[in-house]
Amino acid sequence: MFMNNINVVAFDADDTLWINEPIFQEVTAEFCNMFPTYNEPDIICKMLEETQSRTIPIMGYGSKPFVIAMIETAIQITGGHDCAKEINRIIEIGKEMQSHPVELLDGVEDVLDKLAADFKLMLITKGDLMEQERKIQRSGLADYFSCIEIVSEKDERTYKKCLDFHDICKDEFVMVGNSVKSDVLPVVNIGSNAVHIPFHTTWCHECVDESALRGKDYITMEHAKELIPALLAQ
């Protein structure tokens, strides 16, 4: 089992260490109910998803690109007419998201505390630099990590670059996260190790077809606390 060789344990942040996606879902629900005279909420949600698909490659991840996507969708829905009130509310929502408290997932700090004595811990998260820095600071977890990487995308190239920069052998590295797309597949594809800890909800843009998982060797756990016996037993 690959866990016997691990020296470096890297963690994703959003929905692995703290709650993130439910905040976006709550905002999405509010947005999709802003325009009752134009379309059904389900149709508006689909329009927002399509807008995000176009904007993510240009603007990346986080609440700021999300706000821009909502504004663009609002203009699309209304034809740009009489939507100033809604756009003002969207801007306020964006400010609220930036200052939202960071709520740690149950037990994760204890896991980090126990693993930090025996392993080099890393944090690898994608998104807006300032937004992620604020969340890391508010989380109170920063001191557990030997290094923190905030990246624009989590793909094979990014992971290779990260391992090379920190002089980490791929066989001694494991990535822990909730996203198969970002935390598992690219890591496994470069010959390294991954642990998938599913969150109860997954952003649609992080979903992958099950066929992409065929033949991929990784571990799935229900909770981060399962890392302790798996890693410390080596």
Side-chain angles (χ1 to χ4, degrees):
M1 190 176 183
F2 68 66
M3 300 296 267
N4 293 332
N5 305 315
I6 301 303
N7 290 319
V8 181
V9 184
F11 287 84
D12 169 52
D14 295 333
D15 297 323
T16 297
L17 298 179
W18 54 70
I19 293 172
N20 181 67
E21 179 59 18
I23 300 168
F24 282 79
Q25 291 183 340
E26 183 178 339
V27 169
T28 298
E30 178 179 348
F31 173 80
C32 293
N33 284 284
M34 284 184 185
F35 310 92
T37 61
Y38 287 91
N39 248 321
E40 294 296 322
D42 288 349
I43 296 174
I44 293 173
C45 285
K46 184 64 176 177
M47 294 173 67
L48 178 58
E49 288 178 9
E50 292 172 351
T51 303
Q52 286 183 281
S53 294
R54 296 192 303 270
T55 57
I56 286 171
I58 302 169
M59 300 179 182
Y61 302 91
S63 61
K64 294 175 189 175
F66 182 52
V67 166
I68 292 172
M70 285 192 289
I71 292 173
E72 181 178 336
T73 305
I75 294 170
Q76 181 184 355
I77 292 167
T78 63
H81 303 296
D82 299 323
C83 59
K85 178 181 176 181
E86 288 78 10
I87 290 176
N88 281 334
R89 174 56 189 150
I90 291 167
I91 293 170
E92 286 302 313
I93 288 173
K95 294 176 182 177
E96 292 168 8
M97 293 180 77
Q98 289 286 318
S99 59
H100 198 283
V102 173
E103 183 180 350
L104 298 182
L105 290 174
D106 183 50
V108 296
E109 185 166 11
D110 183 58
V111 170
L112 296 177
D113 184 58
K114 286 182 169 61
L115 294 181
D118 292 273
F119 300 92
K120 177 179 180 179
L121 302 187
M122 297 179 65
L123 181 63
I124 305 178
T125 181
K126 69 181 180 182
D128 177 76
L129 177 63
M130 291 182 63
E131 183 173 3
Q132 293 303 93
E133 284 181 337
R134 278 196 293 268
K135 287 195 284 187
I136 292 166
Q137 189 275 327
R138 289 173 185 158
S139 75
L141 301 178
D143 289 344
Y144 290 107
F145 301 103
S146 300
C147 52
I148 295 173
E149 295 283 353
I150 301 173
V151 298
S152 58
E153 189 57 88
K154 291 165 84 172
D155 53 19
E156 294 173 24
R157 178 179 176 276
T158 298
Y159 282 109
K160 285 180 181 177
K161 184 177 180 181
C162 185
L163 294 183
D164 288 344
F165 181 79
H166 293 285
D167 195 25
I168 299 170
C169 176
K170 64 183 180 181
D171 296 332
E172 299 176 349
F173 173 87
V174 61
M175 181 68 195
V176 180
N178 71 293
S179 171
V180 170
K181 179 181 178 181
S182 295
D183 305 315
V184 173
L185 287 179
V187 176
V188 171
N189 286 342
I190 66 169
S192 199
N193 312 295
V195 173
H196 182 219
I197 304 178
F199 191 55
H200 65 80
T201 184
T202 302
W203 184 31
C204 63
H205 296 284
E206 287 294 319
C207 293
V208 298
D209 191 277
E210 288 189 8
S211 62
L213 305 179
R214 292 181 191 140
K216 304 300 182 181
D217 185 19
Y218 64 94
I219 292 176
T220 298
M221 297 180 177
E222 292 185 4
H223 194 281
K225 64 185 178 182
E226 295 175 48
L227 289 165
I228 296 172
L231 286 166
L232 295 182
Q234 62 174 298

